[in-house]
Amino acid sequence: MAFSVNHPILYLFSGIVVAFILAQSVYFLVKAAARARELGISGATIRKTVLSSALFSVAPAVSILVGVITLSQFIGLPYPWLRLSVLGAVTYELPAATLAAGAMGAEVTQTISDARVFSTIAWVMALGILSGLILVLVALRKIQSGMVSLAGRDKRWGEILTDALFLGMISAFVGLLFARVREGLPGFIPLAVALVSALLMAVCGLLMKAFKWQWLSQYALPLSMLGAMALSIPITALMGGGH
Amino acid sequence: MGKTKTVVNESAYERSLHAAGRLWGSLALLLMLLVPAAISLYFNAWPLLAPFLKALLGVLPMYWTVGIIEVFTFVPMLGTGGSYLGFVTGNLTNLKVPAALNAMQAAGVRAGTEEGDVVSTIAIASSSIVTTLVIAVGVFLLGFLRPVLESPQLKPAFDNILPALFGALGVVFISKNPKIAAAPLLFMVALFMAAPGLSSSVSILVPVGALIAIAVARFLYKRGKLGSPGERG
């Protein structure tokens, strides 16, 4: 059978790796849940953690699927399916594929038909993002002990240090909301959506306090996020994000 | 273990987690590389060396650096199990890290403790399973799903997934620590307003924000503004 970007064998290769990733996730889930019980974390908390993380992941997963579709017009479905199910994200895979295609003189606007161009792209996408995984495999233990000595014996400072790390990440993404504000009203759409999401989250917090709805704490993030995504549709229409 | 110095006071669980994490991670790494090798073999189409190296040179310096920085930024938040799994399954900033932070916050456990570690691992594993299944089902049902996913009506919702996520996550963590958050927030807002082109490099700016936050936190802590050692505040 001649090469095609959607050749059945490519589905098979990708399917094997995706099945492996699923098995790995299930293994870690079972292992951590067993340890959680030993540590005295209640079954209800474990169940809620699973459910809320699952619910939270649906919308981003669908957006990753949109990324698979974007890449599929150029390198077929099976390979992007694999790449976006493992390490990496569309923000990496697309530039990597574009660079590799460019180096072989191919255009990203057309479906790849040459097996050699395709294999070059496949290799570059696979190799270009391995550093994080390799470093974790080789040195996670060392890095963690380094972090422990950085925090020192002062427990309070150790807590502040992890909070500061979270806030560093959150600041970068909150700053990103302002990247387009100079473009006029449509540039404020991401900011408006984030404010709506923050507001929904605050409402959840008030409900939890007022009615002692502790169960809501696990679901507040996915609910606020989905609510803000839904409301982004009328917000975009109102603020003139025409395209 | 034959080593002269044991690293930290590791529990038996953590030791077995390191062993399992390395085994699963190494096999996953091997599989990720076997796929392009199998493609090259099956179609008898190996990359041409010159264009391959040229493309790799375009990708490696930036993405290998980002990958290394991500390890140092996210490992303290994800814990042992979460790191081994998260660095195989990817999508850290938009999925795994927020899932772990949210789960630890809701369960009332802290990153860096063993309780935090197991809750983070449970969250990341659940998130990975759902994400992998959604993408797999989506790939096979694409004929039906494509018109919906590509509909212009839904486009704003997918365009705004990061604002929707970081608005909700931000309000929780910023309101808990406004003193530490103020400086990195102001810096990032000013930076992105001055240089919108940096949007594509947001992952490089995460550790920059973290360094600013740590410096501010250290300064405030030394001056006694964030509670004294052992106290919660």
Side-chain angles (χ1 to χ4, degrees):
Chain A
M1 202 168 159
F3 170 77
S4 124
V5 289
N6 289 315
H7 194 289
I9 195 83
L10 297 177
Y11 278 98
L12 179 71
F13 292 158
S14 296
I16 292 170
V17 183
V18 169
F20 179 86
I21 300 291
L22 263 181
Q24 180 178 7
S25 306
V26 172
Y27 174 86
F28 274 85
L29 177 60
V30 172
K31 196 172 168 69
R35 180 64 183 159
R37 269 182 228 110
E38 285 172 15
L39 289 171
I41 296 173
S42 73
T45 303
I46 299 172
R47 261 195 310 281
K48 275 190 264 176
T49 303
V50 171
L51 272 176
S52 89
S53 308
L55 181 65
F56 158 73
S57 304
V58 173
V62 173
S63 91
I64 295 170
L65 186 60
V66 175
V68 175
I69 298 175
T70 310
L71 282 167
S72 73
Q73 284 145 9
F74 155 49
I75 50 172
L77 257 183
Y79 200 61
W81 170 36
L82 163 66
R83 292 302 322 161
L84 293 182
S85 296
V86 297
L87 184 77
V90 75
T91 44
Y92 155 73
E93 308 291 348
L94 193 57
T98 311
L99 263 169
M104 295 289 282
E107 293 273 340
V108 282
T109 44
Q110 286 166 344
T111 308
I112 300 294
S113 55
D114 184 292
R116 213 157 198 182
V117 175
F118 184 82
S119 87
T120 307
I121 293 172
W123 275 106
V124 171
M125 285 168 93
L127 289 170
I129 195 142
L130 289 179
S131 62
L133 175 57
I134 293 174
L135 186 60
V136 163
L137 290 177
V138 177
L140 182 62
R141 203 179 239 152
K142 277 213 179 90
I143 292 166
Q144 285 177 318
S145 69
M147 301 276 176
V148 170
S149 58
L150 197 68
R153 292 217 181 88
D154 185 343
K155 191 165 166 268
R156 176 68 193 139
W157 170 242
E159 291 174 358
I160 294 171
L161 195 65
T162 33
D163 284 349
L165 276 172
F166 299 164
L167 287 167
M169 180 179 85
I170 288 166
S171 313
F173 281 91
V174 171
L176 183 64
L177 302 171
F178 291 81
R180 288 172 49 220
V181 292
R182 290 198 302 187
E183 294 170 18
L185 194 58
F188 281 89
I189 293 172
L191 196 57
V193 175
L195 284 175
V196 167
S197 173
L199 198 67
L200 291 172
M201 194 73 175
V203 170
C204 288
L206 288 177
L207 288 174
M208 276 158 56
K209 272 208 179 117
F211 299 102
K212 305 244 178 294
W213 286 353
Q214 271 316 305
W215 58 268
L216 190 59
S217 69
Q218 311 271 356
Y219 301 102
L221 178 70
L223 289 178
S224 306
M225 187 179 157
L226 290 173
M229 281 175 71
L231 288 171
S232 74
I233 297 171
I235 289 172
T236 304
L238 276 173
M239 295 177 72
H243 32 206
Chain B
M1 296 270 294
K3 283 188 183 165
T4 48
K5 212 168 91 181
T6 35
V7 187
V8 210
N9 294 328
E10 276 180 346
S11 65
Y13 166 74
E14 266 203 67
R15 271 197 299 278
S16 80
L17 203 57
H18 276 293
R22 280 192 190 149
L23 180 67
W24 281 97
S26 309
L27 287 173
L29 175 66
L30 188 70
L31 279 175
M32 283 180 216
L33 293 176
L34 272 177
V35 171
I39 292 170
S40 303
L41 268 175
Y42 186 86
F43 294 107
N44 193 23
W46 291 87
L48 288 171
L49 196 62
F52 169 68
L53 288 180
K54 190 180 156 202
L56 212 53
L57 269 179
V59 176
L60 282 193
M62 169 156 169
Y63 288 99
W64 274 57
T65 313
V66 170
I68 290 167
I69 293 171
E70 279 189 344
V71 172
F72 287 96
T73 318
F74 295 141
V75 159
M77 309 187 201
L78 300 178
T80 308
S83 296
Y84 280 119
L85 191 56
F87 279 91
V88 167
T89 58
N91 283 298
L92 289 163
T93 42
N94 58 343
L95 248 176
K96 308 295 156 56
V97 176
L101 293 188
N102 180 55
M104 287 188 282
Q105 154 87 11
V109 295
R110 290 201 67 102
T113 62
E114 195 166 351
E115 286 80 2
D117 200 322
V118 292
V119 169
S120 154
T121 307
I122 293 171
I124 291 172
S126 314
S127 170
S128 297
I129 293 168
V130 169
T131 311
T132 313
L133 287 177
V134 167
I135 300 174
V137 170
V139 162
F140 286 97
L141 295 179
L142 204 59
F144 302 102
L145 291 176
R146 189 175 223 145
V148 182
L149 293 178
E150 290 185 333
S151 74
Q153 286 85 0
L154 277 185
K155 193 172 180 294
F158 290 121
D159 285 347
N160 284 298
I161 204 157
L162 282 180
L165 167 57
F166 282 96
L169 205 60
V171 74
V172 174
F173 284 94
I174 294 168
S175 62
K176 266 173 72 186
N177 288 296
K179 287 184 218 157
I180 305 177
L185 268 177
L186 283 174
F187 174 83
M188 288 298 165
V189 169
L191 184 69
F192 278 106
M193 282 178 73
L198 287 172
S199 300
S200 53
S201 319
V202 66
S203 44
I204 298 180
L205 292 170
V206 170
V208 175
L211 286 177
I212 298 173
I214 290 170
V216 170
R218 189 73 195 163
F219 177 78
L220 293 173
Y221 183 62
K222 282 280 168 197
R223 304 204 148 207
K225 307 271 188 204
L226 297 172
S228 49
E231 182 189 314
R232 300 204 70 166

